[in-house]
Amino acid sequence: MVSIKFPPKYTLGNFFDVCQLINRYQYRIEDEGSLRLDLSEITFIDPFGMVTLLSIGRHIFNTYGFQIIIKLPEGEAGSYMNRAGLDSLIDDFITVERSKVNIMNFLRKNENMGVLKYFDSEKDIMQINNEFESWMKNHNFTEYEINNLTTFVSEMIQNVCQHSKTKQKGIVCIQAYVSKKGVPFLSWAIGDTGIGIRESLIQSGVKGIASMTDERVLREVLTKGLSRHQDDITRGNGLHRLYQGAQKRKASLFIQSNSGLFGVHSENNERSKVETRVPWTLYGTNIGFNLEGQHLTSQ
């Protein structure tokens, strides 16, 4: 059995490191037909971590035909994953190995919102947006901010439904929490196991894409507004506007699509950009967004 132990935190910022770990054992995973992801030491996991866990499980099952095993953490992290709804989403591609500690004991201590669910049509948008609106209103976001973010989420869900070209459902995870310093955060992630952004643009006839890497395509889409609807200003560019929104706010945005990773990371009042090839190709697209509640804009 190939067993990989995850770091204490699995978030936007260390997704690349997790892919490096899996890549290190890729040939053994293929030969032995086994993979166990040991999350026992995790103390914090964000929506991007939750969504990509399921994406990894589906990728392995789709590619090699076997289930992965996920060992859940103890304490509040295990409680959050349980309460968010992991059990209802594992289907036939993941086997869960539970902690001996009864994680239900931690439910009363952890009141953070956590929602993890599948979606397969645009009719799911309203229900998902209601989760966002409720939290943002409770944390005094402006109507401008609420409308912007719910529009972004709606467009990302539409992209999965319309362009991913896979029969497997999309995944969305929402998490609201308050840091030890009392700062409220709202995080969300959306993922699919489709053809990826680069291939979608190629199939839509966008010129010049075939010669670009996945990460270069992500840069063009995010920073320059490259879209399948180049001649229609009323459509497309959703990812570009999401990137602009992350730039205006103190927000982190990461997008992984097949072998590419691009994003902007905000932590401890410092911002950095990431553009790189993922060391282990995870087919599909995963988008993660992390926003601080106290930094609002009204422009």
Side-chain angles (χ1 to χ4, degrees), residues 4-288:
I4 296 175
K5 177 161 286 193
F6 274 47
K9 292 185 178 182
Y10 182 36
T11 67
L12 290 167
N14 55 13
F15 168 73
F16 183 91
D17 297 331
V18 168
C19 288
Q20 274 191 322
L21 285 172
I22 297 176
N23 185 62
R24 186 182 304 169
Y25 297 99
Q26 180 172 346
Y27 293 115
R28 277 190 56 195
I29 292 170
E30 294 176 10
D31 290 342
E32 298 183 21
S34 66
L35 176 61
R36 177 175 179 264
L37 303 181
D38 183 354
L39 278 62
S40 60
E41 295 185 1
I42 281 186
T43 57
F44 181 80
I45 183 169
D46 70 0
F48 193 74
M50 292 279 277
V51 167
T52 53
L53 269 180
L54 293 172
S55 295
I56 290 170
R58 295 205 293 189
H59 172 85
I60 293 293
F61 187 80
N62 292 342
T63 305
Y64 305 114
F66 67 84
Q67 293 180 325
I68 69 169
I69 297 172
I70 293 181
K71 182 177 181 181
L72 294 181
E74 301 177 0
E76 292 186 5
S79 169
Y80 162 68
M81 295 177 74
N82 177 79
R83 184 165 36 85
L86 179 68
D87 280 359
S88 64
L89 273 68
I90 57 177
D91 287 345
D92 56 357
F93 54 88
I94 292 175
T95 298
V96 172
E97 183 179 322
R98 302 189 181 283
S99 163
K100 294 181 180 179
V101 175
N102 183 4
I103 61 177
M104 296 299 290
N105 293 336
F106 292 86
L107 287 179
R108 292 183 180 178
K109 299 179 182 180
N110 189 343
E111 298 178 353
N112 297 336
M113 179 181 80
V115 178
L116 179 68
K117 62 180 68 175
Y118 285 135
F119 63 88
D120 60 359
S121 71
E122 295 176 28
K123 68 181 181 181
D124 297 312
I125 291 174
M126 183 64 71
Q127 181 182 359
I128 293 169
N129 276 348
N130 286 341
E131 299 282 355
F132 283 94
E133 290 181 15
S134 175
W135 185 87
M136 296 180 81
K137 287 178 179 177
N138 289 338
H139 290 85
N140 300 315
F141 277 76
T142 65
E143 286 298 318
Y144 172 87
E145 290 280 346
I146 294 173
N147 291 337
N148 260 0
L149 191 56
T150 53
T151 297
F152 291 149
V153 173
S154 299
E155 290 199 19
M156 297 308 102
I157 291 174
Q158 288 173 338
N159 282 345
V160 172
C161 295
Q162 295 175 5
H163 307 300
S164 63
K165 296 189 177 181
T166 175
K167 293 182 179 180
Q168 291 181 314
K169 296 179 179 180
I171 313 167
V172 62
C173 185
I174 311 165
Q175 179 183 11
Y177 61 96
V178 178
S179 72
K180 293 180 180 179
K181 296 181 179 180
V183 179
F185 284 85
L186 177 64
S187 296
W188 58 266
I190 290 175
D192 66 64
T193 54
I195 59 177
I197 292 174
R198 176 178 176 272
E199 183 60 29
S200 178
L201 292 175
I202 289 175
Q203 293 187 15
S204 298
V206 179
K207 296 180 180 179
I209 300 299
S211 62
M212 297 182 188
T213 61
D214 283 308
E215 60 271 25
R216 169 69 187 282
V217 169
L218 290 176
R219 169 157 51 100
E220 296 294 312
V221 168
L222 287 167
T223 65
K224 299 180 181 180
L226 180 68
S227 167
R228 63 178 58 82
H229 302 294
Q230 292 298 290
D231 299 322
D232 185 349
I233 63 173
T234 66
R235 301 184 65 191
N237 294 323
L239 289 173
H240 178 52
R241 285 185 282 115
L242 183 61
Y243 179 75
Q244 290 178 318
Q247 294 282 69
K248 290 179 181 178
R249 302 161 179 86
K250 189 174 181 181
S252 296
L253 169 67
F254 273 52
I255 299 184
Q256 170 270 324
S257 188
N258 290 354
S259 64
L261 179 66
F262 189 93
V264 55
H265 190 51
S266 179
E267 188 173 20
N268 298 325
N269 295 319
E270 295 183 0
R271 295 177 68 78
S272 58
K273 288 184 181 179
V274 176
E275 180 184 344
T276 187
R277 176 172 288 272
V278 181
W280 179 70
T281 300
L282 179 61
Y283 289 112
T285 300
N286 294 287
I287 302 171

